Amino acid sequence: MFETIAVFLPLAGACIAGMFAFVRPDDEKKQGRIDAAAQWVTCGAMVLSAVFAGVVFSDVVLGQNPRTIELFTWIDSGAMEVSWAIKMDTLSSVMLFMVTTVAAVIHIYSIGYMHHDPGIPRFMAYLCLFTFFMLMLVSADNLVQLFFGWEGVGLCSYLLIGFWYDRPAANAAAIKAFVVNRIGDFGFALGIFATFVLFETVDYDTIFAAAPGKAGASLMVFGVEFHAITVCTVLLFIGAMGKSAQLGLHTWLPDAMEGPTPVSALIHAATMVTAGVFMVVRMSPLFEFSETALTLVTVVGASTAIFAATVACVQNDIKRVIAYSTCSQLGYMFFAAGVSAYSAGIFHLVTHASFKALLFLGAGSVIHAMSDEQDMRKMGGLGRFIPVTYALMLIGSLALAGIWPFAGYFSKDVILEAAYAAGTGVGGYAFWLGITAAFLTAFYSWRLLLMTFHGAPRADNKVMAQAHESPKVMILPLFVLAAGAMFTGYIGYESFVGHRAGEFWGESILVLASHPAIETAHGVPSWVKFLPLGVGIAGIGLAFVLYMLAPGLPALIAGRFQIIHRFLVKKWYFDELYDLVFVRPAFYLGRGFWKTGDGSLIDGVGPDGVSAAVLNLARRAGALQTGYLYHYAFAMLTGVVVLVTWYLFQH
């Protein structure tokens, strides 16, 4: 019962706040009361949902009471029978508790951040609706219900990114996010179809039970036989690549920063972008039987981690630095899953949710203090003006950099240890790219701190005179996230990836005996254990040298290595490449269909052609109407002659 309430409370809050959005009184006081009511309803719903999620977590995990609650039969057509059900095992309950807790904190933060916005009820309704779809996604017990939540969070991300619809950049970013995700979602839908063809069901438990028997099965695709489970898992992973912004389908994530900062924290740090990771872990009983799919996940994840880390090093927009950091950390989660260290991936997902949401909301406080300025080159010296925000972002940055004893140290290190312990070529590839990305992560996180909070102020005097700490309703939620960034790693280590991991996860994650990376990770050499911490400290030291001791050196290096610097600033030219290969041809083709097909052919032959013919005929007929009497008399006489002649010839 509690899990049902936890899942559906955000939906109720969204519906009520949504109704408030249609009430627009002329009186400012009445509007203020409506805004406050929407905030109270949505925040109350989310806090209660988080409380109930905590109760469920305690019962399912600590009480060893996993269960599936079937609400009703949703689809019953031939062999397709789909129930609307809530599945609560360890994996689902962990995600349920994480999503509701972070969402509740962000909802409360939004009260202060969106205080002056005219669309408060609409914004709070969108946030709550998004949370409902995310909860539906993580609690699904079948692929169709998962897809319902999957598409729901995509829709809400479009609405939230484009919330300020009067801004062209926000509209463009929302459309970009929607379109790029549709590419991944197409692959995801094909993966669901392929899974149904192979297993004749979309129910998790039935699929997972039958998976060992289908390990050698084949599927015919375009007349060619392929390993069936590989086809299913690769297609499912394409969906995860879009939703979790992996290399190739990542281009939407940085642009999504055009939405309000609470949106960035909720969607792009803690929840939606982790949906792909959750799906891969949920489908571990399938991925374990496809070495090809696991290799692909590992390579894509590791490549994403290093790509995004390099780009983050040269960004100047404070939110974009954190956005590319998110992309990089998602890469860690994926290559953890790729080496079958699924529990390590989820562990990093949970710790990352705390410290990355903390960094995003802290960035929101910085933007609030700087009168909506986001360029770090125009900041500096803010530590004296907003010391609480500085201290909180310092905690988040230490966790992100993987410095002991903060959360990121425990989760990131175990991923790298598992990649090394895998003992495979792709495992080694992921390990060394992950180590390099860890060095760059520490560098760019401290670059952000130093450019924002240290040194002489670079903003004009008017802006600095108005710089102030955010109100308590924005600051207090950050303390909750800071606690998570400090303690979740230490508290969760033994249960998530330590010696109690098998008991903790139960049957929610499957790892074959042939993939012992997570077990052997604890026995790796000491240098493997300490190397991530070492490169993290080195990255912090490099940032300190470049931005404190020798602040003119970054510009000198950028000038000396112009080609590399431009390559990174242009984000490896992915946007330009896609524009050249896909966007421009699509616009050219669309314009051709519009002008030639629709304009010239359809309209020219159809309505425009008919109207032109009628006008031409009317014009010619009008020419006969001269207005002269003798012309009409002559026409009448001619008609009489013709008529009489016709009559005589007929008789």
Side-chain angles (χ1 to χ4, degrees), residues 65 88 97 170 225 247 278 316 381 396:
N65 186 28
M88 280 294 122
F97 184 60
E225 280 194 356
L247 191 64
F278 166 79
N316 294 311

Side-chain angles (χ1 to χ4, degrees), residues 613-629:
V614 171
L615 286 173
N616 187 47
L617 183 63
R619 193 179 298 110
R620 293 179 180 273
L624 298 175
Q625 306 299 319
T626 64
Y628 293 107
L629 183 61

Side-chain angles (χ1 to χ4, degrees), residues 573-644:
Y573 287 95
F574 271 101
D575 283 308
E576 287 77 7
L577 177 63
Y578 288 171
D579 185 67
L580 179 65
V581 177
F582 299 112
V583 178
R584 291 185 187 178
F587 271 100
Y588 180 80
L589 187 64
R591 187 174 181 83
F593 279 125
W594 171 35
K595 291 294 186 181
T596 304
D598 185 57
S600 300
L601 185 61
I602 298 175
D603 288 344
V605 177
D608 290 348
V610 172
S611 62
V614 171
L615 286 173
N616 187 47
L617 183 63
R619 193 179 298 110
R620 293 179 180 273
L624 298 175
Q625 306 299 319
T626 64
Y628 293 107
L629 183 61
Y630 62 88
H631 285 170
Y632 300 143
F634 179 76
M636 291 174 63
L637 180 61
T638 302
V640 170
V641 171
V642 170
L643 182 62
V644 171

Side-chain angles (χ1 to χ4, degrees), residues 237-301:
F237 177 61
I238 291 173
M241 287 178 63
K243 198 66 73 182
S244 296
Q246 293 300 282
L247 191 64
L249 296 178
H250 68 278
T251 54
W252 67 271
L253 184 61
D255 290 0
M257 298 301 106
E258 293 292 339
T261 297
V263 174
S264 304
L266 181 62
I267 294 180
H268 310 123
T271 54
M272 190 186 90
V273 291
T274 62
V277 179
F278 166 79
M279 187 271 291
V280 171
V281 176
R282 169 60 78 198
M283 303 304 293
S284 61
L286 282 189
F287 278 86
E288 282 295 282
F289 292 100
S290 175
E291 293 294 336
T292 302
L294 289 176
T295 299
L296 178 63
V297 173
T298 305
V299 171
V300 170

Side-chain angles (χ1 to χ4, degrees), residues 425-567:
V426 292
Y429 173 83
F431 173 75
W432 287 111
L433 287 190
I435 289 293
T436 308
F439 170 77
L440 296 175
T441 299
F443 170 76
Y444 66 66
S445 61
W446 243 252
R447 173 178 176 265
L448 183 151
L449 278 177
L450 296 173
M451 288 184 68
T452 304
F453 296 102
H454 290 265
R458 293 180 295 275
D460 59 55
N461 293 331
K462 183 180 179 181
V463 172
M464 296 307 299
Q466 296 176 353
H468 61 281
E469 199 67 80
S470 298
K472 291 181 180 179
V473 73
M474 292 174 62
I475 290 295
L476 291 178
L478 300 188
F479 282 93
V480 177
L481 297 172
M486 294 174 66
F487 302 118
T488 53
Y490 177 78
I491 294 173
Y493 183 85
E494 283 297 322
S495 296
F496 277 77
V497 294
H499 300 294
R500 293 170 45 205
E503 178 186 352
F504 180 81
W505 291 107
E507 296 181 355
S508 61
I509 294 176
L510 174 68
V511 180
L512 298 180
S514 56
H515 299 147
I518 195 66
E519 286 80 10
T520 55
H522 304 293
V524 296
S526 297
W527 69 268
V528 175
K529 293 179 178 290
F530 290 107
L531 185 58
L533 178 61
V535 297
I537 295 172
I540 293 172
L542 179 62
F544 188 81
V545 170
L546 292 180
Y547 292 94
M548 290 296 293
L549 301 182
L553 199 54
L556 183 64
I557 295 173
R560 181 68 61 87
F561 301 97
Q562 277 188 355
I563 296 176
I564 297 175
H565 182 260
R566 180 175 291 274
F567 181 73

